[in-house]
Amino acid sequence: MISLLVATPLLLAFLSILWKKQAEVMLFFAAVVNVLLLLVKGFPNGVEIHAMGSWKPPFGINLVLDNASFYAVLVVNLFFMMISILPGKMKKSYTTSLLLLLTAANGFILTGDLFNSFVFMEIMTITAVTIASKRDNFYNSYKYLILGGVAGSFYLLATVFTYAAAGSLNMAHVATLTLSSGALLAVTTLYTVGLGVEAKLFPLNGWVSGVYSGNELAPLVLGTSVTFAILYMVGRLFGTVFHGNGSETLYVLALITILAGETAALRQTNLLKTFAYSSVAQAGIVIAMISKGTEEAINLAYFHLSNDVVAKFTIFLVAGYLIYNYKDLDGVFKKHKVLGVAFSVASFSLIGFPLFAGFQSKIRIIMEAFLLKDYLLPAVVLLGTIIEIGYVIRWNMRLWFDEEKEEEKVKVPFVIGFISIMLAIILVVVFLNPNVFLEGTQKMAKAIVDTKSYAQGVLSIAKGGM
């Protein structure tokens, strides 16, 4: 079953080149099949692997499904399923890229091999660049391609160093070995840079605003599915494989990222750029908590990430559609009250306003930081929240209450209104019952910190074969 999560979208990506008219159906089919496979499967009891070519670990390539990778791959495929039912105009000419991106994201999460994680990350970057180039956004796509190439080089270099130091590329095997302090410092520093571009860490996040604001599809994909996949790998590498080594650097960069992202968001006059920088800040919060290394801190990191990607999908869906259908957004929500309500709920959830999911994760993060005797992170989060209130209120006031321009009302496709309001309802439901996400993120965090079970599971079980 594990290999199907990668093989199905990959096969359909090739077939979509031959049968272009059926490409949208193939994307929907791939995402739905993967989601159904995962839902039928449920959280695995322990670690399950698929050894390619029956090569037993630590040799060969293997895909690993444990509670951490299960939750991450489920989230990624759910978002792709929603993207697959969006109007064809939003995905025109990019369905094959989306299928390849789904393949790469699933492979990136599931692989138990460092070199193949580099390969899948490269495929993710290249396909994301093609999606970002939609609507002639070539300059920003090119900038993203260059930075992605630099990140890939550092990631590959880190993998080479790991092999030189450990003699293995299997994550579980590396996790059982004792590396010298010098090797650990070099490897974790290189992985920080390698993942930092896609994870939007300061100062490697200069591409975000241009790519996210270039079209309506890129922020939906990059700000949700790709972000979740990358931040999963941050936890897997620094939490499981390298036992928390290098997390101090991550923590410092994450704090700077929070403040830099929020400050940049406040200065923006473009709606998509504002929330692109907001994504940067939220990624900083998640990475800061991952760097703490405790099970509860990692649990809250992914709980906050789950809330953030739901809110961001809503915001980017609403904002992206309206920006490319109206010349002026002043008072536009008077024409589209359903979209306005969904946007407001999602944006207030980002702040951490009571009644919405973001409140549950932010307050728990602050309380956990105090329990860990870290007073700096709560201060930074609270300062970031004050800045966040400024631009969220400003945009809501403008979109709801500014004088409406005499533009003809554009009919919004039913599916956009339906998805946005359903996600907004989920944000309220999670506030009332946080266990909707916490049950999954707790299992995810436990799997990430339990290096012994991960290593034993991978190295002692070798079933399957292509």
Side-chain angles (χ1 to χ4, degrees):
M1 187 281 280
I2 306 173
S3 59
L4 286 177
L5 298 171
V6 180
T8 304
L10 179 61
L11 174 63
L12 292 175
F14 286 113
L15 293 178
S16 69
I17 299 172
L18 301 175
W19 291 288
K20 292 182 180 177
K21 290 183 179 178
Q22 286 75 39
E24 286 186 33
V25 178
M26 292 181 191
L27 175 62
F28 175 73
F29 179 78
V32 169
V33 165
N34 280 2
V35 168
L36 288 176
L37 282 172
L38 289 164
L39 291 178
V40 170
K41 170 72 181 169
F43 279 96
N45 295 316
V47 178
E48 298 179 12
I49 73 165
H50 180 96
M52 301 287 186
S54 298
W55 285 80
K56 293 183 179 181
F59 306 104
I61 299 168
N62 56 84
L63 300 176
V64 182
L65 189 72
D66 65 352
N67 284 337
S69 58
F70 176 87
Y71 185 81
V73 84
L74 177 61
V75 170
V76 166
N77 283 272
L78 282 171
F79 278 113
F80 267 93
M81 192 172 73
M82 286 191 285
I83 289 168
S84 72
I85 60 174
L86 292 176
K89 183 182 174 184
M90 295 180 71
K91 313 187 293 285
K92 191 177 179 182
S93 304
Y94 290 91
T95 318
T96 301
S97 295
L98 286 168
L99 280 163
L100 275 175
L101 187 57
L102 178 58
T103 303
N106 285 348
F108 185 68
I109 292 168
L110 292 169
T111 185
D113 177 89
L114 288 169
F115 180 74
N116 281 286
S117 68
F118 159 74
V119 173
F120 283 122
M121 192 176 82
E122 286 295 286
I123 299 172
M124 270 201 301
T125 301
I126 292 168
T127 50
V129 166
T130 63
I131 293 168
S133 66
K134 191 170 180 278
R135 289 189 185 275
D136 299 333
N137 191 27
F138 298 127
Y139 172 71
N140 289 312
S141 303
Y142 179 71
K143 193 163 65 173
Y144 177 38
L145 179 64
I146 297 297
L147 282 170
V150 172
S153 301
F154 275 86
Y155 197 95
L156 180 60
L157 200 57
T159 303
V160 171
F161 270 50
T162 304
Y163 185 70
S168 175
L169 291 174
N170 185 281
M171 293 183 190
H173 192 206
V174 172
T176 62
L177 302 174
T178 303
L179 304 184
S180 68
S181 57
L184 277 173
L185 177 63
V187 166
T188 55
T189 302
L190 289 169
Y191 274 125
T192 298
V193 179
L195 287 169
V197 172
E198 294 291 354
K200 297 173 275 197
L201 268 177
F202 181 86
L204 306 166
N205 49 26
W207 59 274
V208 176
S209 64
V211 168
Y212 277 35
S213 61
N215 62 59
E216 65 272 57
L217 185 58
L220 281 179
V221 179
L222 296 177
T224 56
S225 297
V226 173
T227 295
F228 207 102
I230 293 292
L231 293 180
Y232 157 80
M233 187 55 76
V234 173
R236 178 60 86 194
L237 285 184
F238 287 88
T240 307
V241 179
F242 298 118
H243 313 283
N245 285 287
S247 58
E248 298 85 359
T249 306
L250 271 183
Y251 179 72
V252 173
L253 290 175
L255 293 185
I256 300 172
T257 300
I258 296 169
L259 293 177
E262 297 293 15
T263 306
L266 184 65
R267 292 164 56 89
Q268 300 305 312
T269 55
N270 177 293
L271 182 57
L272 285 176
K273 283 188 177 181
T274 300
F275 287 96
Y277 279 115
S278 169
S279 292
V280 169
Q282 300 301 325
I285 295 175
V286 174
I287 293 172
M289 290 303 286
I290 290 174
S291 69
K292 295 286 179 193
T294 66
E295 184 178 326
E296 183 59 16
I298 293 175
N299 167 34
L300 294 176
Y302 289 112
F303 178 45
H304 188 68
L305 179 60
S306 301
N307 294 335
D308 180 58
V309 291
V310 171
K312 284 290 161 39
F313 194 93
T314 311
I315 289 170
F316 288 134
L317 181 61
V318 172
Y321 188 80
L322 293 178
I323 280 176
Y324 292 104
N325 285 281
Y326 287 98
K327 292 179 181 176
D328 197 313
L329 294 180
D330 290 351
V332 72
F333 285 159
K334 292 174 187 171
K335 294 188 180 83
H336 302 287
K337 292 184 174 57
V338 171
L339 296 185
V341 169
F343 178 91
S344 295
V345 168
S347 58
F348 280 102
S349 180
L350 289 182
I351 296 174
F353 193 81
L355 301 179
F356 308 120
F359 173 81
Q360 289 284 4
S361 52
K362 273 197 174 177
I363 195 70
R364 287 165 192 253
I365 283 172
I366 291 170
M367 291 170 65
E368 178 65 15
F370 278 126
L371 285 175
L372 295 171
K373 301 189 184 308
D374 177 359
Y375 306 111
L376 185 56
L377 178 59
V380 170
V381 171
L382 289 172
L383 180 57
T385 301
I386 292 170
I387 299 171
E388 206 168 32
I389 290 170
Y391 63 77
V392 166
I393 296 289
R394 186 185 68 198
W395 274 110
N396 273 277
M397 292 292 288
R398 178 181 168 186
L399 296 169
W400 276 108
F401 301 112
D402 273 13
E403 188 175 348
E404 193 179 359
K405 299 295 185 293
E406 293 183 1
E407 287 189 63
E408 188 176 346
K409 181 179 178 179
V410 176
K411 187 177 180 182
V412 178
F414 169 78
V415 68
I416 290 182
F418 177 76
I419 290 177
S420 59
I421 202 66
M422 289 306 295
L423 291 178
I425 291 171
I426 288 174
L427 291 171
V428 177
V429 170
V430 172
F431 168 75
L432 298 172
N433 182 15
N435 286 331
V436 172
F437 287 159
L438 276 174
E439 286 184 3
T441 57
Q442 282 169 346
K443 291 179 179 177
M444 187 177 183
K446 187 174 182 179
I448 283 178
V449 299
D450 192 357
T451 301
K452 186 178 179 182
S453 295
Y454 176 79
Q456 285 181 347
V458 172
L459 298 175
S460 63
I461 304 172
K463 295 178 180 177
M466 290 293 284

